[in-house]
Amino acid sequence: MTVSMRERLVAAVCTAMGAQYSQTHIDEQTTLPVNVVIDGADTATNGYDLTECTMPLTVGRAEAIASGDVNNPAAQRAQANAALAKLIADMHTGGDFSGLCRSCIYTGGSIELQADSFIVATANFELIYQHARGQPGTQFPT
């Protein structure tokens, strides 16, 4: 079976980000620290010989609150914002993910402070990739 361009791109992002693929968000039962990649439903447009797809993708990071900051919301917020900034920078460092991605667009992000035990940062992106029309496993141009 041919591996789709979409699957190759998700795998390349997971590798670049040191992340695991997940279909759910990070919660209190997740082993920390952890990076996860969560994909959404693609949209696509078709040309004569190619399909251009836009995949929404969320990259998340959870980590334990730094020692001594359990009762310090400002320090927790700073830690979470630093994690968010690193996610954004690291995704853009990935470039075109070995030629699989035509564009990586940051669309927004958020942070969460979880019951004085861990922080979560999530960054949302749109990844644009192409494949030959009707052939999701064939990169375009062929």
Side-chain angles (χ1 to χ4, degrees):
M1 174 180 263
T2 302
V3 178
S4 72
M5 296 306 301
R6 185 183 201 281
E7 179 57 26
R8 288 185 223 167
L9 180 54
V10 170
V13 171
C14 286
T15 298
M17 297 300 288
Q20 61 190 29
Y21 175 80
S22 180
Q23 292 186 338
T24 59
H25 290 277
I26 300 161
D27 63 28
E28 59 276 346
Q29 296 172 358
T30 304
T31 302
L32 303 176
V34 65
N35 289 344
V36 298
V37 169
I38 304 165
D39 58 340
D42 289 6
T43 58
T45 57
N46 291 292
Y48 176 74
D49 52 0
L50 76 100
T51 298
E52 183 171 274
C53 303
T54 301
M55 175 177 35
L57 192 97
T58 299
V59 180
R61 168 120 180 124
E63 53 191 55
I65 292 173
S67 176
D69 289 338
V70 171
N71 296 314
N72 186 341
Q76 294 171 24
R77 188 177 59 252
Q79 180 182 351
N81 278 309
L84 175 59
K86 184 168 179 9
L87 290 173
I88 296 165
D90 288 352
M91 276 293 286
H92 288 341
T93 299
D96 64 1
F97 300 99
S98 301
L100 298 171
C101 182
R102 300 201 32 92
S103 180
C104 175
I105 304 162
Y106 174 65
T107 60
S110 64
I111 62 168
E112 297 176 35
L113 310 180
Q114 297 291 325
D116 293 331
S117 58
F118 66 99
I119 60 93
V120 176
T122 55
N124 303 309
F125 298 89
E126 287 185 346
L127 302 183
I128 299 172
Y129 67 98
Q130 296 176 331
H131 59 77
R133 186 172 181 186
Q135 300 175 42
T138 303
Q139 189 166 8
F140 185 88
T142 57

